[in-house]
Amino acid sequence: MCELSIIVPIYNAGSNLKKCIESILTQNLKNVEILAIDDGSTDNSSQIIKEYVKKNPEKITYYEKENTGVADTRNFGISKAKGKYILFVDADDYIKQGLINEVHEYLEQDIDIIKFKLERVNEAGDILKKVDGAVFDKCDGQTAFNMLCFTDVLLDSPCIYVFKKELFEANNFKFKINTEHEDFGLIPLVILKAKTVVSLNLYGYCYLQTEGSITRNENYQKTLKKMNDTLLHYDNMLEFINKEDLTEATQKNLKTYYTNAIILKLKGLKKQDLDIYIKKIKKRDMINNIQVNSIKQFIKKIILKMNVKIYLKLK
């Protein structure tokens, strides 16, 4: 049986694709498959990956599909994966040498989710920032989430976890297509359904920051779509809570996690739209989700209740 499927969604990643694939091939790849999925690229990505397939047919399986976005491409990868576990690697990024070896012992222990850490790097490979987060031994998904939600700003990135594929299949988990921040909408829920999670003090993923990054060149309509979609994910999260047996503390932390992220997104809105989305947030009574465990949090909640715009200016 294949132990691990590494899913690589590819869309116009020609300039960085070689480094990504090389970083995977140089791992110790026993019982590991690479699923390279071209999501309708219009550059030379297809040509590049086909050359790697010729040289490594026993390791790489290549798929071509129409452009439907990264969410649908990841879902496609999960459906094709033969491994007991899955790992997502975006084609613009790469993994560090030895990552697979480091996580392997936890695969043998049948852990549901193995988490590691991420470095933001530039095109020269220089480390711009190490993204920290809680480190812990085996625990259940609720305990894991409750530790990570206060310590890891990239908790919702699927690329810093090795997941048991069964988690997605048994719970019918899929990245929501045609939405922005599909990771934000799904990954916290996957963690909560896990029976066992470990979080390693291991920096295994390199998240490439470039001048051409999508987040630096998006238009305002996309900003509005992101705002709409985060609210959609919030509403889906509430439905999830109603169906699951979560502790009161976990429910509070989950609501707080989503609320804080959504409030921060308001900063990118123009005045007229800001007024509209403040009303949507108040209609959902989201500010009451903010927990008060310190004077600072108490003041934050008071300001938010009085005037969201003042709070955003202070931020």
Side-chain angles (χ1 to χ4, degrees):
M1 180 182 176
C2 179
E3 187 173 44
L4 175 65
S5 298
I6 302 177
I7 298 171
V8 186
I10 302 167
Y11 179 69
N12 289 351
S15 58
N16 300 303
L17 184 55
K18 289 183 179 180
K19 189 164 189 176
C20 174
I21 299 300
E22 290 286 353
S23 77
I24 299 172
L25 288 173
T26 54
Q27 306 284 320
N28 184 13
L29 298 180
K30 293 180 180 177
N31 299 322
V32 175
E33 66 170 355
I34 304 167
L35 304 182
I37 308 164
D38 187 354
D39 183 34
S41 294
T42 57
D43 67 352
N44 63 338
S45 294
S46 175
Q47 181 182 345
I48 291 171
I49 196 64
K50 284 177 181 177
E51 288 299 316
Y52 278 102
V53 173
K54 285 181 182 178
K55 297 175 184 176
N56 305 273
E58 75 289 355
K59 295 179 180 178
I60 304 174
T61 304
Y62 175 62
Y63 297 94
E64 285 183 324
K65 56 186 281 295
E66 292 183 3
N67 177 243
T68 54
V70 68
D72 192 43
T73 304
R74 286 179 181 149
N75 293 338
F76 178 88
I78 294 168
S79 72
K80 297 295 183 181
K82 298 175 183 176
K84 181 179 179 181
Y85 287 89
I86 54 177
L87 166 66
F88 298 101
V89 180
D90 288 345
D92 287 333
D93 304 327
Y94 54 95
I95 56 176
K96 299 189 80 168
Q97 183 63 40
L99 172 63
I100 305 303
N101 276 342
E102 292 285 349
V103 303
H104 187 261
E105 66 175 283
Y106 300 97
L107 308 189
E108 292 185 323
Q109 293 175 35
D110 205 37
I111 303 293
D112 283 352
I113 299 177
I114 302 98
K115 182 187 177 297
F116 44 94
K117 297 184 182 182
L118 172 155
E119 294 173 346
R120 298 179 189 269
V121 299
N122 62 21
E123 291 175 286
D126 302 320
I127 299 171
L128 303 176
K129 184 176 182 179
K130 289 177 174 283
V131 179
D132 204 2
V135 175
F136 47 82
D137 292 325
K138 184 169 70 173
C139 64
D140 64 87
Q142 289 195 57
T143 302
F145 175 81
N146 290 333
M147 286 190 280
L148 291 170
C149 70
F150 294 113
T151 63
D152 198 318
V153 297
L154 286 177
L155 175 155
D156 57 6
S157 170
C159 297
I160 54 175
Y161 302 91
V162 177
F163 298 98
K164 191 178 286 185
K165 183 187 175 185
E166 183 183 64
L167 264 177
F168 287 81
E169 294 178 325
N171 297 288
N172 197 28
F173 279 140
K174 292 183 179 180
F175 293 96
K176 193 166 185 64
I177 63 173
N178 299 321
T179 65
E180 300 290 335
H181 295 304
E182 69 284 342
D183 306 340
F184 171 74
L186 180 63
I187 298 304
L189 312 186
V190 178
I191 295 170
L192 288 167
K193 289 295 288 185
K195 294 178 182 177
T196 51
V197 183
V198 297
S199 183
L200 310 179
N201 189 24
L202 168 69
Y203 286 92
Y205 194 88
C206 295
Y207 179 27
L208 183 63
Q209 310 289 286
T210 69
E211 290 302 319
S213 294
I214 294 173
T215 52
R216 293 189 178 97
N217 293 292
E218 64 186 36
N219 58 42
Y220 187 64
Q221 288 305 310
K222 189 168 185 178
T223 298
L224 289 179
K225 178 163 173 53
K226 285 185 175 183
M227 196 71 229
N228 276 319
D229 289 344
T230 53
L231 289 174
L232 173 65
H233 296 318
Y234 176 85
D235 294 340
N236 289 339
M237 176 272 296
L238 293 181
E239 291 182 15
F240 176 85
I241 283 178
N242 291 334
K243 293 185 289 187
E244 298 298 325
D245 183 21
L246 303 178
T247 67
E248 184 177 349
T250 300
Q251 291 184 42
K252 287 181 178 179
N253 289 340
L254 187 59
K255 289 178 181 178
T256 299
Y257 174 77
Y258 274 76
T259 297
N260 283 331
I262 289 168
I263 287 173
L264 287 177
K265 289 227 160 285
L266 293 171
K267 294 184 73 174
L269 300 180
K270 296 175 182 177
K271 183 181 182 304
Q272 181 178 347
D273 295 312
L274 179 59
D275 291 335
I276 291 171
Y277 285 98
I278 287 175
K279 287 180 182 178
K280 291 184 178 183
I281 285 172
K282 288 184 175 180
K283 184 179 179 180
R284 289 169 170 81
D285 201 22
M286 289 171 64
I287 293 172
N288 276 332
N289 294 336
I290 304 296
Q291 297 183 56
V292 176
N293 298 312
S294 66
I295 293 176
K296 183 178 179 180
Q297 290 171 338
F298 175 75
I299 294 171
K300 170 185 176 179
K301 191 167 185 175
I302 292 296
I303 295 172
L304 278 168
K305 283 192 170 185
M306 289 174 56
N307 193 312
V308 176
K309 292 179 183 178
I310 291 177
Y311 173 80
L312 293 173
K313 287 181 179 178
L314 292 175
K315 290 294 286 184

